[in-house]
Amino acid sequence: MTIAVAGFAGIVGIAAMAAPAQAAAVGAQSHACSFTADRLTVAFAHPYEIDGGLDQPLSVTAGGDGSCVLTGRAKISLLDENGKALPYRFRKGADGITTEVGPDQQAVFDLTFATGSGDHASPSKIRITLPNGGGSRVIDWSSSTPASTTITVGGFRPWLD
């Protein structure tokens, strides 16, 4: 019986010694970004006119000291002033690349849409949902009103100043 307890205590001791080393290895690896855990913010950047349309970049910035990784693309909803989804369709744009976000690294993704005359409701807000369970945020819409109900959403890529 003493051997079993000593054996069990030995296993617990070995596990306790391994846990910090394992945690350090996991901490050194980047994890999927989360709005909450990584204190991410999203903001509209300066738009660019393109062939009768607009390329509207949105930047993603981390507020913490650590870093995280964005892959794929954000899911987007445009909302009216009451938070109700407007009838816009979203299609995949250019693929992104795995992008690290941290103290000195930002990510960006683009919304591309036609501008000009149109009778669509002007968005008041935008909901951005991160891939891989990263949560969502709603921010004020601060761009032109799309003239078409179709918006192209590009993948994440590093922000290059």
Side-chain angles (χ1 to χ4, degrees), residues 1-11:
M1 187 73 164
T2 304
I3 295 173
V5 172
F8 179 75
I11 292 171

Side-chain angles (χ1 to χ4, degrees), residues 8 16 36 47 53 62 69 73 76 83 85 106-107 143 154 157:
F8 179 75
T36 304
V69 174
R73 71 188 76 247
I76 302 299
Q106 294 181 23
S143 188
R157 58 185 167 78

Side-chain angles (χ1 to χ4, degrees), residues 88-89 113-115 117-118 120 145-151:
Y88 285 92
R89 293 186 312 269
F113 50 88
T115 57
S117 61
H120 307 294
T145 299
S148 164
T149 58
T150 302
I151 296 174

Side-chain angles (χ1 to χ4, degrees), residues 16-26:
M17 290 176 6
Q22 185 179 20
V26 171

Side-chain angles (χ1 to χ4, degrees), residues 5-153:
V5 172
F8 179 75
I11 292 171
V12 170
I14 291 169
M17 290 176 6
Q22 185 179 20
V26 171
Q29 298 173 358
S30 294
H31 60 278
C33 289
S34 162
F35 273 116
T36 304
D38 300 300
R39 299 188 342 226
L40 298 182
T41 57
V42 179
F44 282 83
H46 180 73
Y48 301 92
E49 291 185 22
I50 54 165
D51 298 326
L54 199 69
D55 179 347
Q56 176 60 70
L58 284 96
S59 66
V60 181
T61 307
D65 294 333
S67 62
C68 59
V69 174
L70 288 170
T71 57
R73 71 188 76 247
K75 180 180 175 188
I76 302 299
S77 296
L78 299 185
L79 312 171
D80 67 12
E81 62 278 352
N82 298 316
K84 181 180 175 190
L86 295 170
Y88 285 92
R89 293 186 312 269
F90 301 92
R91 67 178 176 203
K92 291 181 181 181
D95 288 336
I97 61 172
T98 299
T99 302
E100 191 167 0
V101 178
D104 297 322
Q105 302 160 307
Q106 294 181 23
V108 66
F109 67 96
D110 299 283
L111 303 179
T112 308
F113 50 88
T115 57
S117 61
D119 60 354
H120 307 294
S122 180
S124 178
K125 299 191 179 290
I126 179 173
R127 176 182 294 119
I128 301 106
T129 303
L130 297 179
N132 303 312
S136 65
R137 283 288 184 270
V138 175
I139 63 172
D140 289 337
W141 177 263
S142 61
S143 188
S144 300
T145 299
S148 164
T149 58
T150 302
I151 296 174
T152 302
V153 181

